[in-house]
Amino acid sequence: MIRLAKFHSEFGKIEVLRAKNTGSVIYRQGGFYQSESDINGVSVAPYIHAIFGLLAQTQARDVLMIGCGGGSLGTMLDKTGVRVTIVDINPTAFFIARKYFGLPHHIECYVADGLNFLHAVRHRYDAIILDAYAGGDIPDHLCTETFFELAHARLDETNGCLISNIWAHNDRDQFPKEMAEKLSNIWTDVRLLDTPGLWDRNTLLVAGEVEHFNAPTLLMPPTDVADDVARDLERFRFIPWRRSEQLV
């Protein structure tokens, strides 16, 4: 790894790195990789391509992202003509995303807490993407039914959907299903897109008009590692789950 820059923010140390073998740029904060993209700003993270592939199955043209990192999903959506708004509590993230990851300057970026931002706006989005982490965890207040109820109120009433990135340690980790339980109290259709069998993985929780979703495919290949990303993306599949009160 080659270190390109180091930043000290009130939210911890952030490093911008370049991989010697592929040239990809990495956003690392507190020892956790938050983003990795190629020289064109296209992510090399399979779960980002999974979100991108799910959104492509919708009519979403106006997307809110809560959590920036390197902003690669925003860059990819912008390339397809989608209007993107990004919210992050750390202003340093936007500087890094624009300087090192190619986030377009015309994308609207707001320094704010995700919950506070949703309280302040009255706009309805086609999709809301929750990918905000403090270290290895989603902040507690972004995991509550109160937050999800507010997100529901800020989505298009007909076709709006929420997609949340959930970190799962292994198959026994119940957190993704616990989050799904909370969303099922608000949305009728809730699904989990997962890669069972892997340790320390990204699980996607989707809610809203999502019953028609198919498992996503690679639509915007990154340079150099497209085959690897496509292979990892193929591991994602929707898994069945039931609300706890339905279990016997």
Side-chain angles (χ1 to χ4, degrees):
M1 293 289 179
I2 301 171
R3 179 189 286 170
L4 301 179
K6 181 172 67 174
F7 300 87
H8 293 279
S9 74
E10 61 179 299
F11 303 98
K13 182 178 73 172
I14 302 171
E15 295 176 291
V16 181
L17 309 170
R18 186 182 300 280
K20 291 182 180 180
N21 57 336
T22 64
S24 65
V25 182
I26 298 162
Y27 183 118
R28 185 167 68 184
Q29 181 171 354
F32 294 91
Y33 281 28
Q34 303 289 353
S35 296
E36 184 174 359
S37 68
D38 68 11
I39 59 174
N40 300 311
V42 176
S43 179
V44 302
Y47 88 93
I48 291 293
H49 286 275
I51 296 174
F52 187 78
L54 293 175
L55 290 175
Q57 299 177 47
T58 73
Q59 299 178 358
R61 307 303 297 169
D62 188 1
V63 175
L64 173 66
M65 293 171 48
I66 299 177
C68 179
S72 55
L73 177 62
T75 299
M76 293 165 63
L77 290 171
D78 182 76
K79 290 177 184 289
T80 65
V82 174
R83 178 188 175 188
V84 179
T85 303
I86 308 179
V87 176
D88 198 292
I89 199 170
N90 188 354
T92 305
F94 297 131
F95 174 82
I96 293 173
R98 286 172 170 148
K99 182 171 182 179
Y100 296 99
F101 290 84
L103 182 71
H105 284 270
H106 61 260
I107 289 181
E108 294 184 31
C109 296
Y110 294 92
V111 179
D113 171 77
L115 179 61
N116 293 340
F117 182 85
L118 290 181
H119 272 299
V121 300
R122 291 295 180 268
H123 185 74
R124 286 185 177 267
Y125 299 92
D126 297 326
I128 296 175
I129 311 301
L130 175 61
D131 191 12
Y133 276 77
D137 300 304
I138 304 173
D140 290 343
H141 66 287
L142 301 183
C143 298
T144 65
E145 286 192 29
T146 298
F147 171 78
F148 293 127
E149 287 171 351
L150 189 55
H152 182 275
R154 299 294 179 262
L155 283 170
D156 179 82
E157 294 179 351
T158 304
N159 297 307
C161 69
L162 172 82
I163 304 177
S164 180
N165 173 36
I166 307 294
W167 188 254
H169 294 290
N170 52 49
D171 289 348
R172 296 186 302 276
D173 192 338
Q174 293 300 303
F175 184 61
K177 292 183 179 180
E178 291 171 1
M179 291 280 280
E181 288 263 349
K182 294 179 182 180
L183 267 67
S184 66
N185 291 327
I186 302 165
W187 282 275
T188 301
D189 296 331
V190 177
R191 303 178 72 187
L192 279 169
L193 187 68
D194 200 1
T195 52
L198 296 182
W199 290 73
D200 294 327
R201 64 188 189 245
N202 299 97
T203 299
L204 299 181
L205 183 61
V206 297
E209 295 300 315
V210 300
E211 187 176 8
H212 66 284
F213 279 174
N214 296 312
T217 57
L218 184 61
L219 302 178
M220 187 177 291
T223 59
D224 296 323
V225 294
D227 290 344
D228 294 337
V229 174
R231 183 169 52 252
D232 289 342
L233 191 60
E234 289 175 355
R235 296 183 176 184
F236 279 96
R237 60 184 178 87
F238 287 104
I239 62 170
W241 70 280
R242 293 182 298 167
R243 297 184 63 179
S244 59
E245 60 264 30
Q246 295 174 329
L247 299 178
V248 294

